[in-house]
Amino acid sequence: MASLMERATSAPQTPGESPAACAPPRVKVVGVSKTFPTPDGGVARVIENVDLTLAEGEFLSIVGPSGCGKSTMLRLISGLTPVSEGRIVVAGREVTEPPPGVGFMFQRDTLLPWATVSENISIALELNGTPPAARPARIAELLKLLGLERYADYRPSAISGGMRQRAALGRLLAYGPELYLMDEPFGALDAMTKMILGRELLRIWSQDAKSVVFVTHDIEEAVGLSDRVIVMEGPPGRIKSEYRIDLPRPRDFRAVRLLPEFRDLCERIWGDIGRHSEAE
Ligand SMILES: Nc1ncnc2c1ncn2[C@@H]1O[C@H](COP(=O)(O)OP(=O)(O)OP(=O)(O)O)[C@@H](O)[C@H]1O
Ligand SMILES: [Mg+2]
């Protein structure tokens, strides 16, 4: 543990700066703003001039108060919602529609209601071209991992919110995208399951070196998982600050919490969000 502590640092960065700026980025967000029409006929500015780079293989978390535009940022990157100003490039191509190789886990699970848990996962395997003969074993593996074996044949309406979230995570893992966009994926889970799935996500991420943008309200979760944490403020949504998380890898999602550097980072990020809330 001592060597872990020696290696841990916590320098804030300039917004937009990436730790692996030399490699071509997986995502580049340049001067992006987003407006929506309001019910009274006006226009609401929801995202204001955001610049952001996600390096290949980087794990980035976004935190910030409710309504500051975190989910909107993910939807813009996913191509599901068009930008109003600026541009977003994913894997070298400007985003005008959902790009290939991007997996989205929504804040509210979007399982197909008519399909069972197994079938929901199977459809993701079909989408990524897994041969039919290889699907049952992969489904069984994911159901075991997520503790859903007993619920394989249940429809989403007959399982709990936390189970639905796990099934949605199973579908994302089954699809196996290059870029994971995850909107509070562990929000409805109990502390123990969060810990298990956080570990599992880190294990999968470290094996496959996929790029992740992870939105959460849980600062400890963000610090425990990420290479970098961005604090947003708003509305309109802007990047307020950015923290490089130089805690060692491979990282034990639970043990890392004992490091003083971990606590220090969490406190500073909390302070950032708190100051914003007080100013409102
Ligand atoms: N389709 C839309 N039409 C109009 N306004 C929208 C739309 N989507 C988002 N907004 C507005 O954008 C703002 C930011 O919403 P967003 O869902 O991105 O916040 P958030 O940071 O994810 O919040 P939370 O932490 O509560 O999930 C809100 O004021 C919301 O009303
Ligand atoms: Mg949200």
Side-chain angles (χ1 to χ4, degrees):
M1 191 63 81
S3 65
L4 300 190
M5 292 179 199
E6 281 156 22
R7 286 172 56 197
T9 59
S10 57
Q13 290 182 293
T14 314
E17 192 183 316
S18 146
C22 44
R26 171 60 51 177
V27 179
K28 202 159 175 56
V29 174
V30 187
V32 161
S33 298
K34 178 66 187 173
T35 55
F36 284 113
T38 56
D40 62 3
V43 169
R45 208 164 178 81
V46 167
I47 299 288
E48 172 80 4
N49 197 21
V50 166
D51 292 316
L52 171 65
T53 301
L54 178 74
E56 188 65 58
E58 188 180 14
F59 200 124
L60 172 76
S61 287
I62 302 179
V63 298
S66 180
C68 72
K70 304 180 296 297
S71 295
T72 305
M73 270 314 301
L74 278 196
R75 292 184 68 86
L76 293 172
I77 294 170
S78 74
L80 291 168
T81 301
V83 301
S84 303
E85 290 161 31
R87 56 200 288 266
I88 297 180
V89 178
V90 171
R93 288 181 27 203
E94 183 150 355
V95 174
T96 51
E97 58 182 359
V102 177
F104 202 125
M105 190 168 160
F106 292 89
Q107 191 165 359
R108 269 176 304 164
D109 77 69
T110 49
L111 296 168
L112 300 168
W114 44 264
T116 65
V117 168
S118 279
E119 287 163 351
N120 265 284
I121 294 175
S122 184
I123 289 162
L125 292 172
E126 194 179 329
L127 282 174
N128 78 1
T130 304
R135 288 178 207 159
R138 180 69 179 134
I139 293 169
E141 187 182 49
L142 286 165
L143 291 174
K144 182 157 187 277
L145 168 70
L146 298 160
L148 288 172
E149 297 120 302
R150 284 179 50 207
Y151 299 94
D153 299 325
Y154 283 60
R155 294 219 161 75
S157 59
I159 57 176
S160 74
M163 290 176 195
R164 280 199 293 274
Q165 223 169 8
R166 280 181 273 156
L169 180 61
R171 198 179 47 176
L172 183 72
L173 297 176
Y175 181 56
E178 294 299 319
L179 172 62
Y180 288 74
L181 302 176
M182 305 176 83
D183 197 354
E184 301 194 39
F186 303 157
L189 300 179
D190 62 281
M192 178 65 89
T193 312
K194 258 186 176 191
M195 196 59 78
I196 292 168
L197 291 186
R199 271 190 175 159
E200 191 52 32
L201 182 60
L202 273 186
R203 191 185 64 77
I204 291 162
W205 172 82
S206 61
Q207 275 178 355
D208 294 352
K210 299 295 161 74
S211 313
V212 183
V213 185
F214 188 97
V215 168
T216 178
H217 278 118
D218 184 335
I219 310 268
E220 296 199 347
E221 188 174 271
V223 172
L225 292 169
S226 308
D227 296 314
R228 205 158 40 114
V229 174
I230 282 179
V231 178
M232 281 184 72
E233 62 183 347
R238 299 171 302 269
I239 294 178
K240 180 178 191 199
S241 55
E242 190 167 316
Y243 293 83
R244 173 85 181 270
I245 313 296
D246 273 337
L247 299 168
R249 304 261 194 205
R251 208 178 277 172
D252 183 317
F253 189 52
R254 198 158 83 91
V256 76
R257 290 159 195 249
L258 303 172
L259 295 172
E261 290 81 355
F262 178 91
R263 300 254 47 96
D264 178 54
L265 274 163
C266 292
E267 282 306 311
R268 288 164 58 202
I269 295 171
W270 267 120
D272 246 3
I273 295 175
R275 270 201 299 284
H276 168 84
S277 304
E278 283 157 22
E280 274 184 331

